[in-house]
Amino acid sequence: MSMQKRVAMISGASRGIGASIAEKLLSEGWAVSLGVRTPEASTFGDNPDALVCRFDALDPESESLWVEQTLARFGRLDGLVHNAGMMIPKTVLEAQDADFDLIFNVNVKSPMRLSQLAWPHLEKAPAGRIVTVASLSGKRVKSAGSGLYAMSKFAAVALGHGLRQCGKENGVRSTIICPSFVATDMGNALANRDSTELTQPEDISRIVHMVLELPKTASIAEIPVHFSVEDCY
Ligand SMILES: NC(=O)c1ccc[n+]([C@@H]2O[C@H](COP(=O)([O-])OP(=O)(O)OC[C@H]3O[C@@H](n4cnc5c(N)ncnc54)[C@H](OP(=O)(O)O)[C@@H]3O)[C@@H](O)[C@H]2O)c1
């Protein structure tokens, strides 16, 4: 028996944007399966509509186990949110092979594998959706120090578009969200501004919730989000 509520998997739901998406979806009547590196530290464990699973983007076995555990518990999968991510603030002249491999493993390869594992279940859902929290650094390279990160986020944007093309006929929709600085551990460390001036994690969760619930006839490819105003964003 699958449950009545729609079910979303959210990677990196331990804190920041991922935790905010989990809270928002729970408040909107979804069940959530949260992929986190340290499940024992999660504050969502007591919620009957939340399943907390171990997920480490550097451990592919944890990805297949997470998908299996989600289906075993809820019997369905309606949404997959690629949120877990990392930043290495190196220019493309400073980055070493090991930096490249690490950031691409976390920001690109793991989401691609998770999408492959989740896809057959999303196809079976009435309205399967994938949301990729990429970055505005996936649209433009704003500074030398964001060069390596931007390479990985351009690739994450391409992943989201590749998934969109795969879903053309079966109704699975993929949306890429591209924020500038968001007031999280990551954003606060980089922005050099008061965190109240930045986009709030709750603003991103509202957008994620909206795209997860839109019909397939209102397919949105990308949503750039800026805390203020840039030339094009
Ligand atoms: N904050 C911004 O300004 C900003 C702007 C644009 C895009 N983004 C993107 O938004 C997403 C969420 O970022 P955030 O701002 O919420 O950052 P954050 O507060 O630093 O949180 C990052 C999340 O990713 C998880 N994570 C990192 N490496 C992982 C790994 N190897 N395996 C599994 N999980 C891993 C972290 O888990 P642990 O708690 O275990 O470390 C944490 O849950 C990221 O993809 C980021 O690139 C952020």
Side-chain angles (χ1 to χ4, degrees), residues 59-215:
D59 175 6
E61 203 183 330
S62 74
E63 295 160 353
S64 42
L65 279 173
W66 178 26
V67 174
E68 278 169 29
Q69 288 166 349
T70 303
L71 269 295
R73 165 77 175 268
F74 295 121
R76 64 185 283 178
L77 182 61
D78 302 81
L80 171 62
V81 182
H82 296 307
N83 166 78
M86 67 174 301
M87 160 73 172
I88 299 176
K90 289 195 177 176
T91 73
V92 294
L93 299 179
E94 294 163 344
Q96 303 293 304
D97 270 12
D99 300 317
F100 182 95
D101 290 345
L102 176 59
I103 202 166
F104 270 73
N105 270 321
V106 174
N107 291 356
V108 187
K109 287 176 73 177
S110 175
M112 185 177 75
R113 286 190 302 262
L114 274 173
S115 301
Q116 293 165 355
L117 290 163
W119 193 262
H121 308 290
L122 293 170
E123 280 187 310
K124 283 186 208 141
R129 300 285 178 266
I130 298 182
V131 179
T132 303
V133 183
S135 173
L136 217 43
S137 291
K139 302 302 297 175
R140 47 70 171 138
V141 185
K142 189 80 171 40
S143 62
S146 65
L148 175 65
Y149 178 71
M151 287 174 73
S152 76
K153 290 298 186 177
F154 269 70
V157 170
L159 169 65
H161 280 288
L163 292 166
R164 234 164 45 76
Q165 294 292 346
C166 293
K168 197 183 275 185
E169 304 302 333
N170 66 11
V172 176
R173 295 289 181 256
S174 160
T175 300
I176 306 133
I177 300 178
C178 298
S180 175
F181 291 125
V182 183
T184 65
D185 294 341
M186 184 187 290
N188 289 328
L190 296 165
N192 208 15
R193 282 171 178 267
D194 191 301
S195 68
T196 58
E197 294 176 32
L198 306 181
T199 302
Q200 298 301 304
E202 296 73 25
D203 303 327
I204 304 298
S205 350
R206 287 172 64 187
I207 296 169
V208 171
H209 170 243
M210 176 191 74
V211 293
L212 283 172
E213 294 202 350
L214 282 174

